[in-house]
Short mmCIF file of all heavy atoms in Angstrom, two decimals:
data_model
loop_
_atom_site.label_atom_id
_atom_site.label_comp_id
_atom_site.label_asym_id
_atom_site.label_seq_id
_atom_site.Cartn_x
_atom_site.Cartn_y
_atom_site.Cartn_z
N ASN Y 22 33.75 -2.20 118.06
CA ASN Y 22 33.75 -2.09 119.45
C ASN Y 22 32.30 -1.88 120.04
O ASN Y 22 32.06 -2.45 121.08
CB ASN Y 22 34.67 -1.06 119.95
CG ASN Y 22 36.14 -1.41 119.84
OD1 ASN Y 22 36.46 -2.45 119.14
ND2 ASN Y 22 37.06 -0.53 120.36
N LEU Y 23 31.49 -1.13 119.33
CA LEU Y 23 30.11 -0.93 119.74
C LEU Y 23 29.42 -2.27 119.73
O LEU Y 23 28.70 -2.60 120.68
CB LEU Y 23 29.39 0.05 118.77
CG LEU Y 23 27.91 0.22 119.08
CD1 LEU Y 23 27.65 0.69 120.49
CD2 LEU Y 23 27.33 1.16 118.06
N ALA Y 24 29.59 -3.08 118.70
CA ALA Y 24 29.00 -4.45 118.58
C ALA Y 24 29.42 -5.32 119.77
O ALA Y 24 28.59 -6.01 120.34
CB ALA Y 24 29.35 -5.07 117.23
N ASP Y 25 30.71 -5.30 120.13
CA ASP Y 25 31.18 -6.03 121.26
C ASP Y 25 30.44 -5.66 122.58
O ASP Y 25 30.02 -6.55 123.37
CB ASP Y 25 32.72 -5.82 121.42
CG ASP Y 25 33.32 -7.03 122.21
OD1 ASP Y 25 32.85 -8.14 122.02
OD2 ASP Y 25 34.31 -6.67 122.94
N ILE Y 26 30.27 -4.45 122.83
CA ILE Y 26 29.60 -3.99 124.04
C ILE Y 26 28.11 -4.50 123.99
O ILE Y 26 27.56 -4.90 125.03
CB ILE Y 26 29.68 -2.41 124.18
CG1 ILE Y 26 31.02 -2.09 124.89
CG2 ILE Y 26 28.54 -1.91 125.03
CD1 ILE Y 26 31.13 -0.60 125.22
N LEU Y 27 27.51 -4.27 122.82
CA LEU Y 27 26.10 -4.67 122.67
C LEU Y 27 25.90 -6.23 122.90
O LEU Y 27 24.97 -6.64 123.56
CB LEU Y 27 25.58 -4.25 121.32
CG LEU Y 27 25.49 -2.79 121.06
CD1 LEU Y 27 25.29 -2.44 119.63
CD2 LEU Y 27 24.40 -2.15 121.90
N ASP Y 28 26.89 -6.93 122.35
CA ASP Y 28 26.82 -8.40 122.50
C ASP Y 28 27.01 -8.81 123.96
O ASP Y 28 26.26 -9.60 124.49
CB ASP Y 28 27.86 -9.07 121.66
CG ASP Y 28 27.78 -10.56 121.58
OD1 ASP Y 28 26.65 -11.12 121.76
OD2 ASP Y 28 28.83 -11.30 121.56
N GLU Y 29 27.94 -8.12 124.62
CA GLU Y 29 28.19 -8.44 126.07
C GLU Y 29 26.93 -8.01 126.86
O GLU Y 29 26.59 -8.74 127.87
CB GLU Y 29 29.36 -7.53 126.64
CG GLU Y 29 30.68 -8.06 126.18
CD GLU Y 29 31.81 -7.13 126.61
OE1 GLU Y 29 31.50 -6.11 127.28
OE2 GLU Y 29 32.96 -7.44 126.31
N GLY Y 30 26.15 -7.04 126.41
CA GLY Y 30 24.92 -6.68 127.07
C GLY Y 30 23.72 -7.53 126.70
O GLY Y 30 22.58 -7.31 127.11
N GLY Y 31 23.94 -8.56 125.86
CA GLY Y 31 22.84 -9.48 125.47
C GLY Y 31 21.91 -8.90 124.43
O GLY Y 31 20.80 -9.39 124.22
N ARG Y 32 22.41 -7.84 123.71
CA ARG Y 32 21.53 -7.27 122.65
C ARG Y 32 22.04 -7.70 121.30
O ARG Y 32 22.68 -6.98 120.51
CB ARG Y 32 21.61 -5.72 122.80
CG ARG Y 32 20.91 -5.27 124.08
CD ARG Y 32 20.98 -3.84 124.26
NE ARG Y 32 22.28 -3.42 124.82
CZ ARG Y 32 22.72 -2.16 124.77
NH1 ARG Y 32 22.04 -1.22 124.37
NH2 ARG Y 32 23.97 -1.94 125.22
N SER Y 33 21.79 -8.97 121.02
CA SER Y 33 22.34 -9.67 119.79
C SER Y 33 21.88 -8.94 118.59
O SER Y 33 22.73 -8.78 117.61
CB SER Y 33 21.88 -11.10 119.80
OG SER Y 33 22.38 -11.76 120.93
N ALA Y 34 20.65 -8.57 118.38
CA ALA Y 34 20.17 -7.96 117.14
C ALA Y 34 20.92 -6.65 116.89
O ALA Y 34 21.39 -6.39 115.79
CB ALA Y 34 18.67 -7.75 117.23
N ASP Y 35 21.17 -5.87 117.95
CA ASP Y 35 21.85 -4.58 117.80
C ASP Y 35 23.32 -4.85 117.47
O ASP Y 35 23.99 -4.10 116.64
CB ASP Y 35 21.71 -3.74 119.06
CG ASP Y 35 20.30 -3.23 119.28
OD1 ASP Y 35 19.54 -3.11 118.30
OD2 ASP Y 35 20.04 -2.96 120.46
N ALA Y 36 23.89 -5.88 118.09
CA ALA Y 36 25.27 -6.28 117.81
C ALA Y 36 25.45 -6.70 116.38
O ALA Y 36 26.44 -6.34 115.75
CB ALA Y 36 25.76 -7.37 118.76
N ILE Y 37 24.45 -7.45 115.87
CA ILE Y 37 24.58 -7.89 114.52
C ILE Y 37 24.54 -6.68 113.52
O ILE Y 37 25.34 -6.59 112.58
CB ILE Y 37 23.43 -8.88 114.16
CG1 ILE Y 37 23.73 -10.21 114.73
CG2 ILE Y 37 23.28 -9.04 112.66
CD1 ILE Y 37 22.55 -11.24 114.74
N ALA Y 38 23.63 -5.72 113.83
CA ALA Y 38 23.56 -4.55 113.03
C ALA Y 38 24.84 -3.72 113.03
O ALA Y 38 25.28 -3.20 111.99
CB ALA Y 38 22.37 -3.65 113.45
N ALA Y 39 25.52 -3.65 114.18
CA ALA Y 39 26.68 -2.94 114.32
C ALA Y 39 27.89 -3.63 113.58
O ALA Y 39 28.66 -2.98 112.86
CB ALA Y 39 27.11 -2.72 115.76
N LEU Y 40 27.92 -5.00 113.65
CA LEU Y 40 28.93 -5.70 112.88
C LEU Y 40 28.71 -5.50 111.39
O LEU Y 40 29.69 -5.42 110.63
CB LEU Y 40 28.95 -7.11 113.32
CG LEU Y 40 29.56 -7.41 114.69
CD1 LEU Y 40 29.30 -8.86 115.16
CD2 LEU Y 40 31.11 -7.19 114.69
N GLU Y 41 27.49 -5.59 110.97
CA GLU Y 41 27.14 -5.39 109.56
C GLU Y 41 27.56 -3.99 109.10
O GLU Y 41 28.11 -3.80 107.99
CB GLU Y 41 25.67 -5.65 109.22
CG GLU Y 41 25.40 -7.13 109.35
CD GLU Y 41 23.87 -7.40 109.26
OE1 GLU Y 41 23.06 -6.53 109.41
OE2 GLU Y 41 23.52 -8.66 109.01
N ALA Y 42 27.48 -3.00 109.96
CA ALA Y 42 27.89 -1.67 109.56
C ALA Y 42 29.43 -1.57 109.55
O ALA Y 42 29.99 -0.93 108.68
CB ALA Y 42 27.39 -0.65 110.64
N ALA Y 43 30.08 -2.33 110.38
CA ALA Y 43 31.57 -2.37 110.41
C ALA Y 43 32.11 -3.03 109.04
O ALA Y 43 33.00 -2.58 108.37
CB ALA Y 43 32.09 -3.14 111.58
N ILE Y 44 31.34 -4.04 108.68
CA ILE Y 44 31.71 -4.71 107.37
C ILE Y 44 31.38 -3.95 106.15
O ILE Y 44 32.09 -3.91 105.15
CB ILE Y 44 31.04 -6.16 107.33
CG1 ILE Y 44 31.66 -7.04 108.45
CG2 ILE Y 44 31.22 -6.78 106.00
CD1 ILE Y 44 30.76 -8.27 108.75
N LYS Y 45 30.26 -3.21 106.28
CA LYS Y 45 29.97 -2.22 105.13
C LYS Y 45 31.02 -1.17 105.01
O LYS Y 45 31.43 -0.86 103.90
CB LYS Y 45 28.59 -1.62 105.43
CG LYS Y 45 28.16 -0.65 104.30
CD LYS Y 45 26.77 -0.02 104.65
CE LYS Y 45 26.43 0.96 103.57
NZ LYS Y 45 25.19 1.70 103.89
N ALA Y 46 31.54 -0.70 106.17
CA ALA Y 46 32.60 0.28 106.11
C ALA Y 46 33.90 -0.28 105.67
O ALA Y 46 34.69 0.40 104.95
CB ALA Y 46 32.79 0.90 107.52
N ASP Y 47 34.14 -1.50 106.02
CA ASP Y 47 35.45 -2.19 105.53
C ASP Y 47 35.08 -3.64 105.23
O ASP Y 47 35.02 -4.50 106.04
CB ASP Y 47 36.41 -2.13 106.60
CG ASP Y 47 37.77 -2.80 106.29
OD1 ASP Y 47 37.93 -3.31 105.14
OD2 ASP Y 47 38.68 -2.84 107.11
N PRO Y 48 34.78 -3.98 103.94
CA PRO Y 48 34.34 -5.33 103.56
C PRO Y 48 35.29 -6.39 103.89
O PRO Y 48 34.94 -7.60 103.95
CB PRO Y 48 34.07 -5.14 102.05
CG PRO Y 48 33.87 -3.73 101.81
CD PRO Y 48 34.72 -2.93 102.83
N ASP Y 49 36.59 -6.11 104.05
CA ASP Y 49 37.53 -7.10 104.41
C ASP Y 49 37.96 -7.11 105.85
O ASP Y 49 39.04 -7.63 106.17
CB ASP Y 49 38.85 -6.87 103.50
CG ASP Y 49 38.58 -7.12 102.01
OD1 ASP Y 49 37.57 -7.91 101.71
OD2 ASP Y 49 39.29 -6.56 101.15
N TYR Y 50 37.15 -6.58 106.67
CA TYR Y 50 37.44 -6.54 108.10
C TYR Y 50 37.19 -7.94 108.69
O TYR Y 50 36.11 -8.29 109.13
CB TYR Y 50 36.55 -5.45 108.79
CG TYR Y 50 36.87 -5.10 110.17
CD1 TYR Y 50 36.22 -3.99 110.75
CD2 TYR Y 50 37.85 -5.71 110.87
CE1 TYR Y 50 36.52 -3.62 112.08
CE2 TYR Y 50 38.16 -5.28 112.19
CZ TYR Y 50 37.48 -4.29 112.77
OH TYR Y 50 37.82 -3.87 114.05
N ALA Y 51 38.28 -8.69 108.69
CA ALA Y 51 38.18 -10.15 109.09
C ALA Y 51 37.66 -10.33 110.45
O ALA Y 51 36.78 -11.22 110.72
CB ALA Y 51 39.55 -10.81 108.94
N ASP Y 52 38.03 -9.55 111.42
CA ASP Y 52 37.59 -9.76 112.82
C ASP Y 52 36.09 -9.54 112.94
O ASP Y 52 35.38 -10.25 113.63
CB ASP Y 52 38.31 -8.77 113.75
CG ASP Y 52 39.77 -9.18 113.91
OD1 ASP Y 52 40.19 -10.26 113.58
OD2 ASP Y 52 40.51 -8.31 114.54
N ALA Y 53 35.53 -8.51 112.22
CA ALA Y 53 34.15 -8.25 112.21
C ALA Y 53 33.42 -9.38 111.56
O ALA Y 53 32.30 -9.83 112.10
CB ALA Y 53 33.86 -6.91 111.53
#
């Protein structure tokens, strides 16, 4: 959800980092 807000705000690099953190937390998180 943090990544989604960051992406909506045009902060792509931060959104990517947040999505990578989501996937690190749950490697099978398909939506992320």
Side-chain angles (χ1 to χ4, degrees):
N22 285 11
L23 174 60
D25 199 38
I26 278 187
L27 294 168
D28 185 34
E29 286 175 1
R32 294 178 283 165
S33 300
D35 292 336
I37 288 170
L40 286 168
E41 287 172 343
I44 294 165
K45 181 180 178 187
D47 180 359
D49 293 335
Y50 193 172
D52 290 347

